[in-house]
Amino acid sequence: MRDTRESRLLLVLLIAIAFALITVDIRGGEESPVDGARRAAATVFGPVENGVASAVNPVGNAIGAVRDSGARHNRIATLQRENIALKQRLGSDDRNRSRVRELDKMLHKAGAGQYGIKGAEVIAIGAAQGFSWTVTIDVGANDGITRDMTVLNGDGLVGRVTTVGPNTATVLLANDPDFTVGTRMESSDELGFATGQGDRPLSVQLLNGKAKIKNGDRLVTFGSSRDKPFVPGVPVGEVVRVDPSGGDLTRNLYVRPFVGFTKLDIVGVVVEAPREDPRDTVLPPKPKAEPTPTVTVTVTPSPEADADPNAEGEAAGNPNADVNAVDPNANANGNADAAGNDDAAGNGQADEQE
């Protein structure tokens, strides 16, 4: 259609008629004068709309399904994230309980030895100094930490502080080959020097080559001058092997440390030494040895063996026992006959005298 004045007037007229019909339809409600025309149009165009809808609805349903699947996917992803977070919280709770136990053990050790400690967490293993057995802890100079302080945990001696930064510090572990600490044997007070050997037991050289040492004996730190780098009384380990003395002035021992150096977490830096040497009080109590059960074996003789000895004993004690047991009257008759014989003998003797 060409854009002319007549066409524009026709368009305006049609729009006006449409607005008029809409107004009449709205005001008429259910009794609208165009209701008949609407029903006629529905009768004519209804089948066409259904056919178009049947062709178009699968596409719409597919689009809706995709949209809903996205929403379901988001809900599933949200639930998965919530489950992961819950598992992490549960794992964190288990870890927290484990760390609380470690902290409790460490505080118990510090209380037994009267050590003033600063709690710390191991945040790194193996510092940049090389292949040394070291760990990094999350306390430093700002927390009052200085070089050559003793480090312990709930099991015993961990090491000593070697490098201090503002907020971190490096700890040389007691199993490092460059680590040496003075030791004292429990009860016997024999002195020695323990040296780290990596993942092997500590090597301890006793100053007394004739000292009597056995497996299971325990050692603690002897302490240093002014308590640096080591305070006294910290548990070190227990003896697992003793080399023969061989007449040497010293004696070598091998000690399994109490501390597991591959699973360090919570440690304490001793910032205040005890006023007195705690000696062996920080060591855990030794387990009581269970008594060895005693088994008593009693041999019961057989009935036949009991009968023969008793029979012989009765025969030896009473020769007439068997006779009496067999026939009591026989014994009486025998006695009577014997008495009669005696009388006869007496009578015979009397006759002869006459």
Side-chain angles (χ1 to χ4, degrees), residues 166-204:
N167 300 305
T168 60
T170 300
V171 178
L172 182 68
L173 301 181
N175 64 335
D176 188 271
D178 292 332
F179 186 97
T180 301
V181 59
T183 61
R184 181 178 57 79
M185 299 295 303
E186 179 185 12
S187 302
S188 67
D189 293 336
E190 294 289 348
L191 302 181
F193 295 95
T195 302
Q197 296 192 112
D199 55 358
R200 295 179 296 168
L202 305 177
S203 174
V204 179

Side-chain angles (χ1 to χ4, degrees), residues 346-354:
N347 294 331
Q349 291 176 358
D351 295 338
E352 289 177 0
Q353 291 177 357
E354 293 178 355

Side-chain angles (χ1 to χ4, degrees), residues 4-225:
T4 61
R5 183 177 180 182
E6 290 80 5
S7 63
R8 287 197 296 270
L9 290 174
L10 180 60
L11 178 60
V12 171
L13 180 60
L14 291 175
I15 293 174
I17 293 172
F19 274 108
L21 292 174
I22 293 173
T23 302
V24 172
D25 185 37
I26 293 174
R27 290 182 178 182
E30 294 181 356
E31 297 178 357
S32 173
V34 297
D35 185 60
R38 183 186 298 110
R39 285 197 296 268
T43 303
V44 174
F45 295 106
V48 178
E49 290 177 348
N50 290 333
V52 173
S54 62
V56 174
N57 280 343
V59 179
N61 292 335
I63 295 174
V66 172
R67 186 186 303 111
D68 292 341
S69 67
R72 286 195 298 269
H73 178 74
N74 292 336
R75 288 196 296 272
I76 293 172
T78 301
L79 291 175
Q80 288 177 344
R81 287 194 298 269
E82 291 177 354
N83 289 336
I84 292 173
L86 179 60
K87 290 179 180 179
Q88 289 176 349
R89 284 198 299 272
L90 291 176
S92 177
D93 290 341
D94 293 338
R95 176 173 171 78
N96 287 337
R97 283 192 290 268
S98 176
R99 299 181 77 186
V100 167
R101 288 193 297 268
E102 290 184 18
L103 181 60
D104 184 65
K105 286 175 58 178
M106 184 178 69
L107 293 177
H108 179 74
K109 284 285 190 294
Q114 297 299 308
Y115 307 125
I117 64 171
K118 179 70 176 180
E121 180 181 358
V122 175
I123 58 175
I125 300 175
Q129 287 87 341
F131 297 99
S132 300
W133 288 78
T134 61
V135 295
T136 302
I137 56 178
D138 62 349
V139 293
N142 294 339
D143 303 290
I145 307 301
T146 61
R147 181 184 172 88
D148 288 337
M149 283 185 168
T150 306
V151 182
L152 52 80
N153 68 358
D155 297 319
L157 180 66
V158 173
R160 63 182 176 87
V161 177
T162 56
T163 306
V164 180
N167 300 305
T168 60
T170 300
V171 178
L172 182 68
L173 301 181
N175 64 335
D176 188 271
D178 292 332
F179 186 97
T180 301
V181 59
T183 61
R184 181 178 57 79
M185 299 295 303
E186 179 185 12
S187 302
S188 67
D189 293 336
E190 294 289 348
L191 302 181
F193 295 95
T195 302
Q197 296 192 112
D199 55 358
R200 295 179 296 168
L202 305 177
S203 174
V204 179
Q205 189 177 45
L206 286 184
L207 301 182
N208 182 6
K210 298 180 181 180
K212 295 181 179 180
I213 307 297
K214 63 182 183 300
N215 290 349
D217 288 347
R218 303 183 294 181
L219 297 85
V220 298
T221 56
F222 178 69
S224 306
S225 176

Side-chain angles (χ1 to χ4, degrees), residues 260-282:
F261 298 105
T262 59
K263 52 182 180 181
L264 293 172
D265 187 9
I266 303 297
V267 299
V269 183
V270 180
V271 295
E272 184 178 352
R275 295 181 179 179
E276 297 181 357
D277 187 348
R279 301 189 67 79
D280 302 333
T281 59
V282 186

